[in-house]
């Protein structure tokens, strides 16, 4: 049975913990590596992230509500969003949210699976999801895009970074834990976003430099297409 999350401005419906072993792998993995992930992420050279966030901020109103899916510990993008927006963060890992609470004292933080959390329609001016959807079983991506389209207010914007590799569910050792990865390539990412009713405004494959080497992500900024 879904329960309303302890939440101030908006009532998020938090679903029970997932029984999907792929989600459990992500949750337990991120709980265990919370501090390690923060240190590792700080060592990444990722100019694309800041540039894409700039492009989103140009499109958003000066204030308003932003939802960050898979917010993790909240740095650096969520903290920047919180400088001018009311931020709601969702993450499947309690440990990540514990770290986020230190950096985002004003934010509403919801412990939930982003694929099953519920918000009222038209709750947000912007929705972001940085580097989290590569952990989602890829067959759930289209439904998540449709949910995001419903949560956005008219004229709202969605920013996300998606996996570039076409990979069905895989479990790999990553940062010392077993982690789940899944994704489509850019063609299918675009197709799913359009099928969910979005118009794509920014569409770039961007490299970033991790300590282990260079990887690419598919960045998209999109808005619900106006109805004819
Ligand atoms: C690579 S980290 C990115 C964290 C942060 N967005 C950033 O940019 O640094 C991925 C985050 O997504 C969260 N996550 C993965 N799958 C999720 C799901 N199904 N629901 C909610 N959070 C999820 C993880 O717990 C983790 O905090």
């Amino acid at each position: 049975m879904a329960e309303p999350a302890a939440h101030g401005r908006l009532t998020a419906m938090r679903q029970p913990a997932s029984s999907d072993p792929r989600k459990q792998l992500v949750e337990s993995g991120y709980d265990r590596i919370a501090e390690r992930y923060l240190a590792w992420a700080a060592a990444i050279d990722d100019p694309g992230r800041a540039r894409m966030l700039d492009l989103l901020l140009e499109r958003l109103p000066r204030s308003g509500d932003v939802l960050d899916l898979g917010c993790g510990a909240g740095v650096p993008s969520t903290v920047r969003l919180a400088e001018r927006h009311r931020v709601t963060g969702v993450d499947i890992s309690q440990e990540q949210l514990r770290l986020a609470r230190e950096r985002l004292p004003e934010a509403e933080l919801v412990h939930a699976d982003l694929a099953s959390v519920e918000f009222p329609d038209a709750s947000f001016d912007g929705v972001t999801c940085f580097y989290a959807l590569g952990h989602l079983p890829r067959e759930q991506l289209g439904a998540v895009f449709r949910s995001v389209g419903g949560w956005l207010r008219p004229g709202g914007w969605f920013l996300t970074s998606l996996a570039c590799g076409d990979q069905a569910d895989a479990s790999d050792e990553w940062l010392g834990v077993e982690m789940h990865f899944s994704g489509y390539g850019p063609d299918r990412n675009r197709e799913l976003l359009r099928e969910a009713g979005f118009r794509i405004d920014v569409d770039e494959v961007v490299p970033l430099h991790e300590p282990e080497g260079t990887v690419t992500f598919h960045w998209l900024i999109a808005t619900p297409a106006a109805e004819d």
Side-chain angles (χ1 to χ4, degrees):
M1 179 83 169
E3 290 174 8
H7 214 247
R9 297 179 302 273
L10 301 157
T11 305
M13 295 304 283
R14 183 173 43 200
Q15 302 296 322
S18 178
S19 58
D20 184 332
R22 299 169 296 183
K23 301 281 175 79
Q24 290 173 348
L25 209 55
V26 173
E27 178 173 3
S28 64
Y30 272 99
D31 277 349
R32 286 172 58 201
I33 63 168
E35 303 276 0
R36 197 179 315 154
Y37 174 79
L38 257 188
W40 177 79
I44 296 175
D45 175 20
D46 184 7
R49 181 201 276 263
R51 187 166 61 82
M52 289 295 154
L53 186 51
D54 283 343
L55 292 175
L56 176 73
L57 290 171
E58 282 170 14
R59 287 164 173 76
L60 292 181
R62 291 295 307 165
S63 59
D65 298 289
V66 173
L67 171 66
D68 188 28
L69 297 170
C71 62
V75 286
S77 320
T78 326
V79 168
R80 215 176 131 207
L81 283 165
E83 287 166 6
R84 58 176 244 198
H85 296 281
R86 286 183 298 273
V87 167
T88 300
V90 171
D91 204 281
I92 202 166
S93 159
Q94 284 276 27
E95 274 304 296
Q96 292 283 352
L97 291 176
R98 184 181 62 75
L99 295 176
R101 240 165 236 122
E102 296 166 11
R103 295 170 178 79
L104 298 160
E106 306 289 321
E108 304 281 353
L109 298 175
V110 181
H111 180 222
D113 177 0
L114 63 86
S116 58
V117 69
E118 295 173 17
F119 293 97
D121 279 351
S123 293
F124 300 101
D125 302 289
V127 177
T128 55
C129 188
F130 300 92
Y131 303 119
L133 293 175
H135 296 301
L136 190 77
R138 64 183 188 175
E139 75 276 7
Q140 297 179 4
L141 209 47
V144 167
F145 291 164
R146 283 193 294 280
S147 295
V148 169
W151 298 332
L152 282 171
R153 296 184 177 127
W157 289 95
F158 177 40
L159 164 66
T160 190
S161 49
L162 297 168
C164 281
D166 184 2
Q167 175 178 272
D169 295 330
S171 156
D172 281 325
E173 192 275 339
W174 183 68
L175 298 183
V177 294
E178 276 297 296
M179 184 54 70
H180 176 264
F181 296 95
S182 181
Y184 297 108
D187 287 348
R188 184 72 182 132
N189 292 339
R190 285 180 200 111
E191 199 172 60
L192 285 172
L193 205 47
R194 290 193 178 112
E195 282 171 10
F198 281 90
R199 174 177 68 75
I200 297 172
D201 207 30
V202 175
D203 178 342
E204 289 185 35
V205 171
V206 182
L208 66 80
H209 310 287
E210 297 178 346
E212 297 79 12
T214 297
V215 290
T216 53
F217 279 84
H218 186 199
W219 286 88
L220 293 151
I221 301 180
T223 188
E227 307 220 346
D228 294 328

